[in-house]
Amino acid sequence: MTDTLDDLDVEGTTVGVRVDINSPIDDDGSLADDARLRAHVDTLSELLERGGRVAVLAHQGRPGGDDFVSLEPHAERLSTLLERPVDYVDVTYSSGAREAVRNLDDGDCIVLENTRFYSEEYMEFDPDAAARTHLVEGLAPVLDAYVNDAFAAAHRSQPSLVGFPSVLPGYAGRVMESELDVLGSIEETPEPRVYVLGGAKVSDSIDVAWSVLEKGLADHVLTAGVAGNVFLTADGVDLGDASTDFIYEQGYWDEIDRAADLLDAYGERVALPRDVAVERDGERHELGVNALPPADSEAAMDIGSSTLSYYERILEGAGTVILNGPAGVFEEAAFENGTRELYNAASDVDTSIVGGGDTASALRSLGVEGFSHVSTGGGAALRMLTAEPLPAVTALEDGPKHQQPADD
Ligand SMILES: Nc1ncnc2c1ncn2[C@@H]1O[C@H](COP(=O)(O)OP(=O)(O)OP(=O)(O)O)[C@@H](O)[C@H]1O
Ligand SMILES: O=C(O)[C@H](O)COP(=O)(O)O
């Protein structure tokens, strides 16, 4: 178990708070969506109201990406959400950053610059090595405590996630605490347990499917999205050139063999789509798998209605459903039906848990509600849902193993 904010004597304490506010960015560099910032408001407000001195640490994007930008807009938005001034500091661990942290008063909040502007932060380290990085050696001397609220990044073993808790007392923030509560007890959720794996990250879906089937966590795995198309292909269905080329282009050809092996080993627990939707004459048109391949170059863009009825029957008997990834190209009106109806059916299951960035945005845009838990994490949630440890959580649990670096 990790300590939480309930265990931290906050007043007058200078706290480094790692959040995950990695967000979609518009062409002009502004925030396109602030859902992840909103998620951390409770943790930050609580720390500030209890008299903490808060230095926020976070990453945005990956080097080379269009969304690899400064955290200045994030600081501005946090200031609005927290209803108090939040200063942006354009450095992360240099003497200027230390100075800004030393100048904090009780109830003050600053946002330090994107941790990934420093190359160390997109490399993976074990906690001992992470404790010796420039980021941790530079900033830890002016912090009294470290709070990790960045559940969505907890599957990364990067210095801001595993280095600070190696040298400072570490605590889980409120987002981290609630994610760990729900996702950490997956083995105790009611059975039968159904995993719905859709979306486009086929390798991740197949990893999860193997893991939950091998461990006996899943009674059924329902496949949809690109993952469903890969499983159909592995089962010998010819989806036609468009879908097959797409699988090639995405580099998922090897996944067809892995999916076939999984069907050999656990086929009776893996459900495949019975029909798919394609675009014909500008409209949605459904084809049973026996009618495949489709004419011309029609791609399978969604699951069809007989798949939905089949999956809905399985979900009716479920005690727990865990979903990741949309069932089709929900961004196009003609192909949103599978995602909307499948997720609607899943929301009626007693315990319904959803993970994934695009999944959460699909649910918002389709107006589907009523889940027991919508996780802030994609990759991190998936890893927990297979009952695998997360490096950042392990580092918090292990506690400090090294001396706090000295202030200059
Ligand atoms: N049949 C399909 N053909 C092509 N793309 C599809 C199909 N079904 C779903 N998709 C696409 O999958 C994308 C989302 O997949 P993804 O695996 O990234 O989900 P996610 O919820 O964001 O998970 P994570 O947070 O782990 O990334 C959407 O953009 C959607 O259009
Ligand atoms: O968006 C995410 O999944 C997290 O912020 C982690 O980002 P990363 O995949 O770039 O490490």
Side-chain angles (χ1 to χ4, degrees):
M1 258 313 279
T2 60
D3 285 340
T4 69
L5 299 191
D6 296 332
D7 304 294
L8 175 61
D9 186 5
V10 181
E11 193 171 351
T13 299
T14 305
V15 194
V17 184
R18 178 56 159 103
V19 294
D20 190 330
I21 47 178
N22 185 25
S23 304
I25 301 291
D26 277 332
D27 291 345
D28 63 359
S30 63
L31 283 173
D33 179 67
D34 66 2
R36 278 190 159 168
L37 287 87
R38 289 176 187 276
H40 292 292
V41 164
D42 284 352
T43 297
L44 295 172
S45 297
E46 179 177 342
L47 285 167
L48 295 166
E49 275 155 25
R50 288 171 61 190
R53 307 169 174 208
V54 171
V56 172
L57 282 158
H59 75 277
Q60 171 61 54
R62 295 177 181 180
D66 291 342
D67 61 350
F68 187 52
V69 298
S70 145
L71 293 184
E72 191 167 8
H74 304 63
E76 229 177 276
R77 188 66 61 91
L78 273 179
S79 174
T80 309
L81 293 172
L82 295 169
E83 297 175 354
R84 64 175 73 219
V86 174
D87 286 338
Y88 153 75
V89 177
D90 66 358
V91 282
T92 312
Y93 61 79
S94 60
S95 56
R98 282 193 293 279
E99 191 57 26
V101 174
R102 278 195 208 98
N103 287 338
L104 288 169
D105 272 329
D106 295 2
D108 281 354
C109 182
I110 54 173
V111 172
L112 297 168
E113 188 51 289
N114 186 347
T115 52
R116 288 193 185 167
F117 279 7
Y118 306 93
S119 57
E120 290 174 336
E121 182 68 0
Y122 49 90
M123 298 193 274
E124 301 260 315
F125 291 87
D126 65 46
D128 294 333
R132 295 191 301 272
T133 54
H134 294 294
L135 172 67
V136 176
E137 289 199 330
L139 193 64
V142 290
L143 299 175
D144 303 317
Y146 170 77
V147 168
N148 191 344
D149 213 27
F151 172 76
H155 55 316
R156 308 285 177 222
S157 193
Q158 291 161 348
S160 69
L161 294 151
V162 300
F164 287 106
S166 299
V167 298
L168 290 168
Y171 303 84
R174 296 304 182 197
V175 171
M176 179 69 87
E177 194 186 345
S178 105
E179 296 275 14
L180 296 183
D181 265 2
V182 177
L183 303 177
S185 49
I186 208 72
E187 286 120 319
E188 287 149 36
T189 54
E191 293 174 292
R193 215 174 281 122
V194 180
Y195 282 72
V196 180
L197 301 176
K201 292 182 186 151
V202 177
S203 326
D204 290 346
S205 297
I206 295 180
D207 287 347
V208 172
W210 267 112
S211 180
V212 296
L213 287 163
E214 260 173 357
K215 289 179 177 155
L217 288 169
D219 295 286
H220 300 276
V221 171
L222 314 186
T223 62
V226 184
N229 290 351
V230 167
F231 273 94
L232 282 175
T233 309
D235 200 38
V237 174
D238 180 358
L239 285 168
D241 289 347
S243 292
T244 312
D245 290 351
F246 183 77
I247 292 170
Y248 259 120
E249 280 158 22
Q250 301 295 306
Y252 289 141
W253 197 245
D254 289 345
E255 301 303 331
I256 296 174
D257 287 341
R258 289 181 69 215
D261 291 345
L262 190 120
L263 290 175
D264 276 346
Y266 300 106
E268 75 291 351
R269 284 194 271 155
V270 181
L272 308 190
R274 292 184 169 173
D275 56 354
V276 298
V278 300
E279 185 176 323
R280 184 167 295 176
D281 303 325
E283 301 208 344
R284 178 186 175 98
H285 181 80
E286 297 191 355
L287 288 168
V289 287
N290 294 335
L292 293 171
D296 303 326
S297 56
E298 296 168 335
M301 308 270 272
D302 194 8
I303 53 173
S305 31
S306 71
T307 309
L308 268 174
S309 314
Y310 170 39
Y311 287 1
E312 278 164 8
R313 278 197 305 280
I314 298 175
L315 288 172
E316 269 164 27
T320 301
V321 58
I322 292 137
L323 306 99
N324 180 256
V329 183
F330 71 93
E331 298 90 339
E332 293 185 31
F335 302 108
E336 64 178 41
N337 190 60
T339 304
R340 189 183 48 240
E341 296 310 317
L342 187 61
Y343 275 76
N344 257 328
S347 70
D348 290 338
V349 176
D350 273 357
T351 303
S352 50
I353 300 170
V354 179
D358 281 294
T359 307
S361 106
L363 297 180
R364 272 195 301 278
S365 73
L366 300 174
V368 185
E369 298 178 331
F371 296 95
S372 320
H373 184 74
V374 179
S375 174
T376 51
L382 277 181
R383 183 144 169 185
M384 273 213 93
L385 294 172
T386 60
E388 297 289 332
L390 299 174
V393 176
T394 307
L396 271 187
E397 283 168 353
D398 288 351
K401 290 193 179 142
H402 300 274
Q403 283 258 287
Q404 179 177 7
D407 199 358
D408 49 27

